[in-house]
Amino acid sequence: MQSIGKNGENHALWFLSEQGYELLARNYRYKRAEIDLICKKEQLIVFVEVKLRTSAAYGHPESFVSDKQQDLIVSAAEQYVIENDWTGDIRFDVIAILKSKGRLEVDHFKDAFY
């Protein structure tokens, strides 16, 4: 299952770089939280949660970001901002990837929470 997650992160990173985002950190950890991707675009740092599913039978990928997970990501983001002395704007995005019949369908939810 972990390799599926890594594949999702790799695809999300490719997708974001095509949109002009620059990777700052990957799998950033703070206490019990992990942020999949931290990117910068212009004067904005974006904290990205990546969700990949092979079926929408139990819901779309973006619906699997729980309130608790959001709280953990926000906490880790606050720590990242402090560590890097960032004073600009931040945003929390979700990249939802649905893998079906060998195809990847990507949805980018900007300002998904917080």
Side-chain angles (χ1 to χ4, degrees):
M1 197 58 136
Q2 236 176 354
S3 66
I4 290 173
K6 284 290 176 220
N7 287 340
E9 286 177 15
N10 289 338
H11 192 74
L13 183 55
W14 172 84
F15 176 85
L16 289 168
S17 66
E18 289 290 305
Q19 306 297 315
Y21 291 79
E22 170 194 353
L23 180 67
L24 298 177
R26 186 170 182 164
N27 303 119
Y28 174 82
R29 292 184 170 278
Y30 175 68
K31 295 186 178 178
R32 294 178 40 234
E34 180 181 326
I35 301 173
D36 294 329
L37 303 171
I38 302 174
C39 299
K40 184 177 180 189
K41 185 169 185 182
E42 297 159 4
Q43 295 304 310
L44 178 70
I45 288 185
V46 182
F47 300 93
V48 182
E49 176 63 18
V50 179
K51 290 295 183 189
L52 181 142
R53 293 289 180 263
T54 55
S55 167
Y58 298 104
H60 292 282
E62 65 274 12
S63 67
F64 288 89
V65 183
S66 69
D67 289 343
K68 181 177 180 173
Q69 186 176 22
Q70 291 177 27
D71 290 344
L72 288 169
I73 291 168
V74 169
S75 172
E78 289 170 350
Q79 181 62 28
Y80 182 88
V81 164
I82 291 167
E83 284 176 11
N84 291 278
D85 198 28
W86 179 254
T87 57
D89 290 332
I90 65 170
R91 188 176 77 205
F92 297 90
D93 290 4
V94 174
I95 298 284
I97 304 171
L98 186 59
K99 185 176 182 178
S100 175
K101 299 176 185 169
R103 296 186 49 196
L104 296 176
E105 186 179 310
V106 179
D107 285 314
H108 183 185
F109 297 91
K110 296 177 182 177
D111 237 344
F113 58 89
Y114 187 64

